[in-house]
Amino acid sequence: MPDSPSPTVTTAKPAKVTKKVRKTVPQMNICITASYNNTLMTATDPNGNVLATSSAGACGFKGSRKSTPYAATVTAEKLVDKIQAYGVQKAKVFVKGVGTGREQSVRALQAAGLDLEAIFDVTPVPHNGCRKKKSRRI
């Protein structure tokens, strides 16, 4: 018998697949940022941990179409699809910004079947504004 090493057969064990456990969040905060160029929506739990996000750019809109009310509606529908897995029943909505998608995004959330507890306008307002430009001396 020759002194050749016997072939060892190693079987790879299948990797353990851990299923991600989705927690149920009955109440959520939805933050809407409606700028002149885009509409961003973020769903958080009451502690502020982000659960889902959506934006008009992520929904496939490009350029000036991102700032339209229709893009805000599509963004809201996509966000509601993402948060359905969390079993949300009630939501508080915080709207920030001056874009055209402000009202349409809130209406789309209501139309999707979310029970909106409250709607807050958290747009920052300057109390005194920036310092004025110095007067020109000629």
Side-chain angles (χ1 to χ4, degrees), residues 3-133:
D3 283 334
S4 64
S6 61
T8 57
V9 178
T10 58
T11 57
K13 291 184 180 178
K16 258 191 182 177
V17 178
T18 57
K19 192 173 182 184
K20 188 175 180 184
V21 179
R22 286 263 169 116
K23 58 184 178 179
T24 58
V25 183
Q27 187 171 350
M28 236 179 230
N29 295 338
I30 297 177
C31 304
I32 301 170
T33 305
S35 69
Y36 286 119
N37 298 318
N38 205 348
T39 302
L40 308 169
M41 299 182 77
T42 307
T44 66
D45 63 3
N47 296 330
N49 301 317
V50 175
L51 301 173
T53 61
S54 184
S55 70
C59 291
F61 293 95
K62 289 184 177 179
S64 61
R65 291 189 298 147
K66 286 195 295 186
S67 59
T68 60
Y70 176 68
T73 304
V74 173
T75 304
E77 290 169 357
K78 199 163 216 177
L79 184 77
V80 170
D81 288 343
K82 287 181 182 180
I83 63 175
Q84 287 299 326
Y86 292 101
V88 64
Q89 288 140 8
K90 294 184 178 183
K92 290 182 182 176
V93 179
F94 298 90
V95 183
K96 179 192 279 189
V98 292
T100 56
R102 280 171 58 99
E103 285 190 32
Q104 280 304 115
S105 54
V106 174
R107 287 185 184 169
L109 290 173
Q110 281 179 325
L114 274 181
D115 182 24
L116 301 186
E117 227 173 43
I119 301 170
F120 299 100
D121 186 7
V122 291
T123 306
V125 179
H127 291 281
N128 201 9
C130 300
R131 184 172 172 168
K132 284 190 174 179
K133 203 173 178 183

